[in-house]
Amino acid sequence: MAPYDEWNRIDDDDDDELQDSSLFEGKRDVILFAIDCSESMLELYEDPNYEDVKTCHLLTALESAMQIAKRKVVVGPNDAVGIMLFNTTRKNDSGGQGSEIKQNNFVYQPIATINAESVKELIRLLDEAREDPDHLRHTFPPLVGHKVPMGDVFTSCNWIMRDGAPKTASKRVFLITDSDDPNAGPGKERLMTSARTTLIDLTQAGIMVEPFFISTEEKPFDQTKFYSSVLLPNNLNDDDGDPSVLPESISITRIDDLLAQMRFHEVPKRALFSVPFELSTEFVIGVKGYGLVTEQKKGSYRYFVDLGDRMEVVESRTAYVDNIEEGDVDKNTIVFGMALGETVGGEDADTSNDLSGTARTVPVNSRVFFTNDEIKSFRTMGLEPRIKLLGFKDKDDLKFEDNVKHSYFIYPDEMVYSGSKRTFSALIKSMVKKEKIGIALALLRRNSSPVFCALLPQEERAEEGGWNEPAGIHIIPLPYADDIRAAPIQEGFRASDKLKDATRKWIDKLTVKNGSYPPDSYPNPALAYHNAQLEASAFRTEFDPEEFEDLTLPKTALMHKRAGPLMKEWMTTLQQDETANTVDLPDRGKKRKAVNSATTDTEVRAMYEDGKLAKLTNDTLKEFCRSHGLAVSGKKADLVDRVTEYLDVN
Amino acid sequence: MAERAGYTVTMFLIDVSPTMGETREVIVPDGPNGEERTLEMTNLEWSLQYIKLKIQEMIYNGRKTDQCGVILFGTEDTDNVINERDGGYEHVSEFIPIGQPNAGTLAKLSALQPSTEIGDPVDALIVAIETQDTYLAKKKTWTRKMILLTDGRNPVEIEDWEATAKKMNVLDISLTIVGVDFDDEEMPFEEEDKPEIKRVNEEFFHNFISKLDKGSIGNCQYALQEVSRPDVKQTKSALLGHELRIGDTETYPDEAIRLQVKASKCTALSRPKSWKRFARANPRDPDIIMRTQQDDDYGPKAIFSELTRRTEYYVDKKKDEDDEDEDMDGEKDAAAKVAADSEEVPTEAERVEKEELIRGFKYGASFVPCPDGNFNRLPTKKGIDICGFFPTENFKRDQAMGDVQYIWADPNSPANQVALSSIVKAMTEKKAMAIARWVSKDGMDPKMGVLYPIEFDSVDCFLWVQMPFADDVRKYTFASLDNLISKKGEKITNHPYIPTEEQQRAMDNFVDAMDLMDAGEKDEDGNRLPWFDTRLSYNPAIHRTKQAQFHGAVVEDLNTHPLPPPHWELLKYFEPPRRVLKRAHSALEECKQSFNVKQVPKKVVRPRKDGHVRAADDEEMLLLDQLPKPAKSSSQVARSQTLTASQSQRKSISPKSQKQKAKKAASDDSDTATEEEPDDDLPLSQKGPAVAAKVKPRDDEDVLMTPSPSVSSQIPTAVGPSQEADPGRVPGRIIGLTKPLDDFIRNTKTGDIVSKAVLDLGWAITEIVKRPFARRRTKEMLECMKKLREVAKVEDEVEAWNEFLQDLKHTCLEDEPGNQDFWTQVKKQGREMSLISKSEVKKKHGVSEDEAVEFIES
């Protein structure tokens, strides 16, 4: 991990990078869990995962809320969460965020930045609830006989958000309920209207509602009964403003998938850029760009100062200091130029105070430095942000090696150019049908530099787990000539067909049919290891490294079970292979005696077993070291030590 | 690649004879107003640019072993090693001794002036050879280069020149002669009225060069042009040793596979070289001033000093812990950021020394100390472990995350080469890729990625690219483009979002026409190649920045010597090839017509930016038994004030009288309220003066049902009507509820936001009509509707009107509370106020005439 100073440095030169992570962190996210607490949510049933344990929907919902809160520490440490329960008779304490909300709505945890105490409190509650199945029912007595009007729930959410959430944050309510017709009975129409109106208020206050509806076999969730006429497209100001179409983000889910569903919504969907997409100069549509693949890094450490009663984070700022006077320089007067080069001894002796290494002297009225704006224009080549289509190429023209950084994903934006969606949709279909990719010149942000990219169309595809692979276009930045390195090796010995066939056997055994690279199976172990320690430290519990499981390690036991004997066979074939035993390397002249490394390996191992490594020649030892990536420096004793150390573990 | 970078001494030989003082007109980039500009400079000044750019290249690369020296010929005096020793070689001077160049070198060259004497280039060559040879006496392996700059207008002593050429070959010197206005077939260039002496000299120079093993000669103009050609330094990446493993080498040593491999970079993102920051020094030290003023020959000078960066740490001690709200508030952060940007330290912050700081992490709001700055790392073992294989066709190309690496078998081990080759071949045959886990060093964090087999002409290898961990993938949801479901749960197949068959056909044709596969250059057989090749695409940011950096370093004044345009190589892929554009012309026209994409007028505007005139918006006035008031405008309060207001003034007085009336207030989270002023009630005549608006804190009660407006007089902010509203206000509306007609007229006048204005006025009317006491505004609303319909008809917003009217009817008659009265009034207007029919606008929009009649009468 880069040291803090470096990580934090403000460098305009790096601005051209889309700093995805900083964009994600730039705006805080506030989630209010609004969880239904009615009879049906509290109904106990056998826990599917643990024997003799009873659970209920509310418990699962709270558990999910806790998991999301924990995740937030990683994905957005400045984000805030709160928990509100509705359909409970528990009264709010006076004072605080919940004190004045509607009846039968209860604020369990007011909105606050994620912190260890709240999470611990929630964990305690969950533990107690598992011990005593009636604990939740006692803690949050359900409202019996009728239900709170949904309008009241939305109003309460609105107030809680208003009191607890910063203005500029993105604000979301995760609505969790299993009741598809909460306000049935007389007056339903009126209650629906009021629910809709209050929901509009909520939306206008910039709060989005993301519903998670729990559906069971006995009690399937029918959203047409109530919700489809109440819910709105998520953000009135954003895309998808067509009211005749259902909002996209309703999740109806089995309770077991609740957490998984929430994980999709764990970070608010934010566009990284919004630019015109020029299919031609006069044929332009609007698109928004997203980062669907972005490296999630460990948080960097911060500097704190001890103020006696508490620790406070310090902010760092960068100042520019003038080398002659050592004073701070006003940022507005800074100009830009080329490094001046080393001061060399060969300079005239009489200018003892020569400043040529640190300063440049120019006539007062002339200008030799560039302004910040000029520098930017050199980077952008004077282009405005846009994606400009240059044409189409065959799909296989995009090579594996044409990659330098992660891709972006674009999706049409009807709010900037009407007709964007149909055009975009037709474009995807044409490209897929004709197996083409697009080539485009893109300037994604005002401050970045133009880059050529491949436009890779993606058709919509349903995936397991209820998540759809969306229709859209991936933007893959192509390397420039400046980014391409030459292959340093041009020649090598190659395998015979016999050996290849032997290889093929074990590869076949180790191939996942219809498989692909499965990101979901590989949580970042280093990140998880770091976060586990962070969490343990915050909760003041012990971290046990033994318990940590690295899921990215190859499943070697299984591999050997499936292909072990075939791999062994292959090794035998290899050892008998003539080419593999070539002794003389054609391109190596006569200087160094080429050694057959396969023999060396066996020989060295044999001597090691007998404890007679020292009998080997230095050349042999060195060759062994070289072929195993060990250093070849030092005396014979060093080499012996090094080889011994290596063979001890291998 | 052939030669080693650095370890070079380049001698620059510059002709400063009087003829070099002749001037020429140089075309420079157009001025700020597009006027053509030329610059008059001496040939010396002009051609020196080439040398300065060459020297700048050395400064840019910053190699200690890349050195140069400058010899002048044609100087007034004589100052060179041979003359000192043996005499002769007059008017040749060693101007800059050999060394690593810096900005001072350039400054000296800039000061050069033509002399009154004539110098001999061959003399200069001999002096340069001697000087260079002496300097390199003990550095046998260094490369020797010479660049000679001349106009070839003066007599050359051509005796013995063969001996000189021979000597240069012996010393392995490469010579480039750059001639001012030399004839050049390649350019092509031929000087008119070339003096005889120059013709002879040029012939001689060509002859001379032909006798050299390493020599070239060219025209200065051409050289200047080529010096800005993007030039990619071929970098061969270092080979780093690695181990490729398949299986568990510890538990199953006789089965597990272990190969010695080398990794090297295949792609690596390069960036423009960074700029250095400078600021004009303002020396308080009189010595410095003295010195600067002394060595000025041309007037006063300014010193610009290079700046260095310093990180400072600040803590805000006043921050109160229980003031969680404030801590949370993003606005404050924004304010802090602004402060940071302007380098001003917010007053409450206090600077702390780095030594006092403790490292730690934030667990949300909690502090977790971690003095090392890192927890224990995950124990890992260096190597590349293959986890399994999968079919290449399932590879998701868009998930590749970074640069690409080659994986080679150990070049010294035939066994490893054959083994790796067998895997590559087997995978290629099977069309499979491998999933692999990469640890670059013991204890380093693992990466996941894929290995892709590659068979080159005579070697096999893998390519590796990093793939995302579960944590790195964001599964955002996007609305389906094809499957639109109506509120009733039915699939919609006919919708403006879904392309029609005709549109799809138009797009298919467009994609075919814009094909680049045959749009490039022709190959030897006359077949056209694809257009665009990554290997020929130069990063314009890198090369343009470099060009600017060089230019800035070598010219005297950017005002008179503006930066020349970018080299054409940088721009060659910026536009689609002309052939393709021509071919696609008709397909494109068809697309444009068929898809009919229209730019949506810019919406108004997030509160913080300047935008359109904001709607005058005041709903409170409706509550009071007074005449509607003029514009009090929504005031935008300085952000920090809003903050204070909303936070500190929650407890506000809510007088009962107001409370009753407040019932009608619509929900409004607005933080602003306005003072009422009596005024006449003609909406059109209202142009209220700027009023001092006051900030109203938010109500704690249910705004919907029982709003209790309360006025705080603590933050009076004078604002004009054009001021923007607070973010809490009905977002995105450009028509307010106070004077909708005014807002509408004003917004439609500007022309570009008509659709939005139509939409919003419809909204405003519906809102107002829904409210209690709407009766008193009936007349005004009917006015609004009349205007709205008029505009909708003219501006092709027929559908918007029709939709609005249907909604309005519904709202009035069927919704609670409704407003039957109002609809009755609308009906009275008759057909003139009904839906707009097709026949009215003669377009395909609109309803049928019968429908329109029926609608208003029913």
Side-chain angles (χ1 to χ4, degrees), chain B residues 789 801-802 805 830-836 852-853 855-856:
Chain B
R789 192 174 192 279
W801 164 265
N802 287 352
L805 199 65
R831 173 67 190 87
E832 286 310 294
M833 198 59 106
S834 184
L835 301 176
I836 301 178
V853 174
F855 178 81
I856 201 72

Side-chain angles (χ1 to χ4, degrees), chain A residues 590-641:
Chain A
K590 304 279 176 241
K591 266 190 205 156
R592 198 197 306 161
K593 207 169 46 181
V595 194
N596 178 341
S597 53
T599 346
T600 313
D601 201 83
T602 336
E603 191 183 347
V604 172
R605 278 175 196 272
M607 295 303 259
Y608 163 77
E609 304 283 324
D610 301 346
K612 289 180 188 160
L613 276 181
K615 298 221 161 157
L616 291 165
T617 61
N618 265 7
D619 279 353
T620 315
L621 288 169
K622 279 191 183 167
E623 182 55 37
F624 181 88
C625 287
R626 217 172 268 127
S627 67
H628 290 86
L630 305 172
V632 287
S633 56
K635 300 209 170 88
K636 180 160 190 175
D638 300 325
L639 292 173
V640 171
D641 285 352

Side-chain angles (χ1 to χ4, degrees), chain B residues 230-372:
Chain B
D231 144 57
V232 174
K233 289 228 169 58
Q234 279 270 340
T235 321
K236 269 196 189 174
S237 308
L239 293 168
L240 298 173
H242 246 294
E243 189 170 84
L244 180 71
R245 292 184 290 255
I246 302 157
D248 181 346
T249 52
E250 279 167 45
T251 322
Y252 306 93
D254 53 340
E255 289 179 2
I257 297 169
R258 183 208 305 261
L259 299 179
Q260 297 312 311
V261 296
K262 302 275 180 191
S264 76
K265 283 182 174 161
C266 174
T267 63
L269 208 55
S270 30
R271 303 170 161 286
K273 187 134 174 163
S274 63
W275 292 86
K276 296 285 182 236
R277 290 173 163 75
F278 292 84
R280 183 162 175 180
N282 201 0
R284 277 156 290 189
D285 178 358
D287 276 359
I288 295 180
I289 296 173
M290 286 291 287
R291 212 177 52 240
T292 26
Q293 305 215 318
Q294 266 168 12
D295 58 17
D296 78 285
D297 297 333
Y298 310 95
K301 297 211 173 177
I303 297 181
F304 281 83
S305 152
E306 196 174 319
L307 306 180
T308 43
R309 202 197 307 270
R310 182 166 73 197
T311 308
E312 295 167 350
Y313 300 91
Y314 291 89
V315 66
D316 182 359
K317 287 193 180 168
K318 290 216 189 82
K319 220 188 274 175
D320 223 46
E321 217 171 359
D322 52 8
D323 199 3
E324 185 67 26
D325 276 354
E326 183 161 354
D327 182 34
M328 294 259 324
D329 202 305
E331 311 225 359
K332 183 172 166 150
D333 273 5
K337 222 171 240 163
V338 170
D341 283 347
S342 61
E343 298 282 318
E344 269 167 37
V345 180
T347 44
E348 32 353 327
E350 194 173 302
R351 182 153 171 207
V352 274
E353 290 307 317
K354 198 174 171 186
E355 290 70 35
E356 298 171 33
L357 303 175
I358 305 159
R359 284 193 276 206
F361 290 94
K362 284 182 90 175
Y363 185 89
S366 321
F367 162 68
V368 177
C370 180
D372 300 338

Side-chain angles (χ1 to χ4, degrees), chain B residues 528-791:
Chain B
R528 286 205 175 263
L529 298 169
W531 184 84
F532 185 82
D533 185 339
T534 49
R535 289 163 302 178
L536 301 174
S537 70
Y538 301 99
N539 185 336
I542 292 182
H543 297 284
R544 181 67 172 158
T545 299
K546 183 172 162 186
Q547 188 190 8
Q549 284 172 335
F550 278 31
H551 185 80
V554 304
V555 300
E556 300 290 277
D557 187 354
L558 290 169
N559 295 322
T560 51
H561 298 64
L563 181 66
H567 196 273
W568 63 268
E569 276 275 3
L570 292 184
L571 303 174
K572 68 181 171 196
Y573 290 140
F574 269 44
E575 295 289 335
R578 199 163 298 159
R579 262 172 66 80
V580 166
L581 283 180
K582 225 164 157 186
R583 184 171 65 195
H585 184 259
S586 68
L588 176 65
E589 286 308 312
E590 195 188 333
C591 270
K592 280 198 268 189
Q593 200 119 74
S594 174
F595 285 101
N596 188 27
V597 180
K598 286 223 178 86
Q599 185 160 17
V600 176
K602 277 254 162 57
K603 225 182 301 170
V604 198
V605 214
R606 302 267 135 93
R608 246 156 258 160
K609 295 183 189 138
D610 294 324
H612 293 282
V613 174
R614 267 277 160 173
D617 197 353
D618 174 21
E619 294 156 355
E620 244 63 72
M621 67 185 206
L622 276 177
L623 311 176
L624 304 176
D625 260 357
Q626 293 179 5
L627 304 174
K629 331 308 46 110
K632 35 294 244 335
S633 64
S634 35
S635 53
Q636 186 188 22
V637 184
R639 253 177 274 148
S640 57
Q641 291 175 324
T642 317
L643 175 76
T644 340
S646 53
Q647 249 140 39
S648 65
Q649 304 177 7
R650 250 183 217 132
K651 283 182 213 122
S652 39
I653 345 111
S654 21
K656 282 238 165 86
S657 62
Q658 277 191 339
K659 199 164 187 169
Q660 284 178 336
K661 300 168 184 157
K663 292 234 176 188
K664 8 184 142 154
S667 71
D668 179 6
D669 201 20
S670 163
D671 278 349
T672 56
T674 43
E675 236 171 47
E676 331 246 355
E677 280 187 0
D679 202 338
D680 60 339
D681 63 349
L682 291 174
L684 286 175
S685 70
Q686 293 168 355
K687 266 287 157 186
V691 180
K694 311 216 167 157
V695 172
K696 182 195 85 168
R698 291 189 180 117
D699 307 316
D700 279 352
E701 292 170 65
D702 181 352
V703 255
L704 270 181
M705 308 302 201
T706 52
S708 50
S710 42
V711 174
S712 130
S713 56
Q714 297 190 1
I715 304 167
T717 320
V719 258
S722 64
Q723 211 95 17
E724 294 169 299
D726 182 84
R729 178 169 307 283
V730 184
R733 297 288 179 193
I734 57 173
I735 306 291
L737 299 178
T738 314
K739 301 187 305 168
L741 194 51
D742 274 9
D743 293 339
F744 183 70
I745 290 168
R746 189 169 52 237
N747 276 308
T748 45
K749 241 185 234 157
T750 63
D752 58 337
I753 46 169
V754 173
S755 309
K756 178 71 183 157
V758 166
L759 211 65
D760 283 4
L761 181 59
W763 165 82
I765 295 170
T766 316
E767 278 302 296
I768 291 167
V769 167
K770 273 198 295 204
R771 294 185 180 176
F773 298 93
R775 196 154 46 92
R776 60 170 60 251
R777 296 183 79 177
T778 297
K779 198 174 149 204
E780 182 197 346
M781 287 307 108
L782 289 174
E783 290 279 328
C784 285
M785 287 177 65
K786 216 167 127 192
K787 182 77 190 167
L788 179 60
R789 192 174 192 279
E790 195 179 293
V791 170

